[in-house]
Structure formats: structure tokens, C-alpha cells
């Protein structure tokens, strides 16, 4: 039986090569590409992202990738968003007082963290709910590597949508992982999170048909 295929979407933003290496360690066939047909056809699609929300959305829109991501989710085909690639899945993002429309696949807005130290940078534990597939088998003291100043923080909206939310805290709680149907998203960087990141990616790969 052939290995599952994973496309890491190249829309001009993200730690593409480090993400490629990390996902490849799980044993899947990985391609980094901006080819939307390949992105639609793959068993799994990774949406990376670093930097500004608006810049990432501009790259996605220039490529015309939004409908492909949405169609995959609607069809139950796995998508994994990482860092700003997670944030653009929400309705909108607000940076420096400017609101940018997101992909609208998760409810709510991504806003600036309220904390003494910004950005939130370094290793942090997460609070894993019992039903998480992405973090199955990982203990409460497991640490992941974060680098961000913005996050989704409206837990009520996510709960009403039926999402499974793993939280972390940086002075105040925020969404570290969101799982909703075929859509998974992590605010931290699995590719920089050593064994814990590998475990998360392996759990995600296990969901690919």
C-alpha cells in the first residue's frame, strides 16, 4: 500500500522546508507546491504561515487557494493549519487596528494577546481535552514551541461550532489547537516542537485516508 500524500501549500509564506522535513518524518509522501490541483487531490493539506495575517491572506487570495481549502473541509478531506496558517482559517484577524477578512472556516476573530510580554515566544504546556485526536497520547506536561503575538481567544464561539479546543495560557488563555471535522489547526510550530511536534504530526497523518 502506498504512503498517504501530503501537500504543503506554497502561497509565499511559511517555514516550508522545515515543515516539509517534519511531515516527511512521519512516512508520508510530501510535496511543497502552489499547484491547486495537487492541493485538492492530496490525502492531507498543510497550510503554513508566518508573519502578518494580512500578508498571508493576500498570498492565499493571489493564489486563489481559499476555495480549494474550503472545498476540502466541506468534503471531509483533512487540512492542518499551522501558526498564521491556523489564524487565517478564522473569520477575520485584527492587527494594528486593521481588520482583515479570513477564510471563515472557524468562527471568531484573531486578536492581539493581552500579556505583559509580547510576543509569546518559547516552550509552553497546553491543556488537552479528552477528545483530542491531534494530541492523543500526550500528557498534560507536554510542551510545544510558540512564536506569536495574536491568537483566537473566543472559546464560546468555538464551542458553539462544536470544535474541540486545546488551550494554552500566556497571562490569559488562548486557543492552541482547534479540531473541527476534517479541519485541524495548531498555533504553535510542530516542526519546531521536537518529539511532541512529531507526535502531533503522526496523529494527524493517522487520520489520512
Amino acid at each position: 500500500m502506498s504512503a498517504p500524500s501530503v501537500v504543503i501549500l506554497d502561497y509565499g509564506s511559511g517555514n516550508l522546508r522545515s515543515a516539509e522535513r517534519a511531515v516527511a518524518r512521519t512516512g508520508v509522501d510530501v510535496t511543497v507546491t502552489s499547484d491547486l490541483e495537487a492541493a485538492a487531490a492530496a490525502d492531507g493539506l498543510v497550510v503554513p504561515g508566518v508573519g502578518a495575517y494580512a500578508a498571508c491572506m493576500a498570498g492565499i487570495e493571489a493564489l486563489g487557494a481559499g476555495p480549494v481549502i474550503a472545498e476540502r473541509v466541506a468534503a471531509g478531506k483533512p487540512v492542518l493549519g499551522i501558526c498564521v496558517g491556523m489564524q487565517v482559517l478564522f473569520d477575520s484577524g485584527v492587527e494594528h487596528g486593521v481588520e482583515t477578512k479570513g477564510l471563515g472556516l472557524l468562527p471568531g476573530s484573531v486578536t492581539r494577546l493581552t500579556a505583559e510580554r509580547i510576543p509569546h515566544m518559547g516552550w509552553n504546556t497546553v491543556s488537552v481535552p479528552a477528545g483530542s485526536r491531534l494530541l492523543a497520547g500526550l500528557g498534560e506536561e507536554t510542551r510545544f514551541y510558540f512564536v506569536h503575538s495574536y491568537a483566537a481567544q473566543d472559546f464560546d464561539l468555538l464551542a458553539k461550532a462544536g470544535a474541540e479546543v486545546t488551550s494554552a495560557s500566556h497571562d490569559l488563555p488562548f486557543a492552541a489547537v482547534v479540531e473541527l471535522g476534517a479541519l485541524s489547526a495548531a498555533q504553535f510550530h510542530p516542526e519546531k516542537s521536537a518529539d511532541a511536534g512529531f507526535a502531533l504530526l503522526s496523529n494527524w497523518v493517522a487520520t489520512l485516508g
Side-chain angles (χ1 to χ4, degrees), residues 86-144:
M86 168 185 180
Q87 296 177 4
V88 296
L89 299 172
F90 284 82
D91 290 328
S92 65
V94 180
E95 292 180 334
H96 310 296
V98 178
E99 184 171 17
T100 301
K101 189 175 185 297
L103 295 175
L105 300 175
L106 292 172
S109 185
V110 171
T111 54
R112 186 174 173 84
L113 293 169
T114 303
E116 187 176 339
R117 288 177 294 106
I118 297 289
H120 172 217
M121 181 181 298
W123 297 86
N124 201 350
T125 57
V126 299
S127 298
V128 184
S132 174
R133 291 179 300 169
L134 218 54
L135 299 172
L138 295 175
E140 285 296 324
E141 295 308 308
T142 304
R143 293 178 176 272
F144 294 92

Side-chain angles (χ1 to χ4, degrees), residues 54-68:
C56 286
M57 275 307 303
I60 288 171
E61 289 171 355
L63 187 60
V68 172

Side-chain angles (χ1 to χ4, degrees), residues 2 7 11 82 97 112-113 119 138 148 150 182 184-185 206:
S2 61
V7 160
Y11 62 92
I82 295 175
R112 186 174 173 84
L113 293 169
L138 295 175
H148 65 119
Y150 299 83
S184 304

Side-chain angles (χ1 to χ4, degrees), residues 49-51 53 80-88 90 110-111 113 120 126 134 144-153 166-168 174-178 184-191 193 200:
V50 294
Y53 189 106
L80 173 63
I82 295 175
C83 198
V84 185
M86 168 185 180
Q87 296 177 4
V88 296
F90 284 82
V110 171
T111 54
L113 293 169
H120 172 217
V126 299
L134 218 54
F144 294 92
Y145 191 79
F146 291 83
V147 183
H148 65 119
S149 300
Y150 299 83
Q153 299 169 78
T166 297
S167 66
F174 63 88
V177 172
V178 176
S184 304
Q187 179 58 66
F188 50 78
H189 286 276
E191 75 279 10
S193 296
L200 178 145

Side-chain angles (χ1 to χ4, degrees), residues 9 34-42 45 47 60 63-75 77 79 103 105:
L9 186 65
S34 57
D35 184 330
L36 295 181
E37 289 187 6
L45 177 65
V47 182
I60 288 171
L63 187 60
V68 172
I69 298 168
E71 286 162 14
R72 283 189 63 94
V73 172
K77 300 179 71 174
V79 172
L103 295 175
L105 300 175

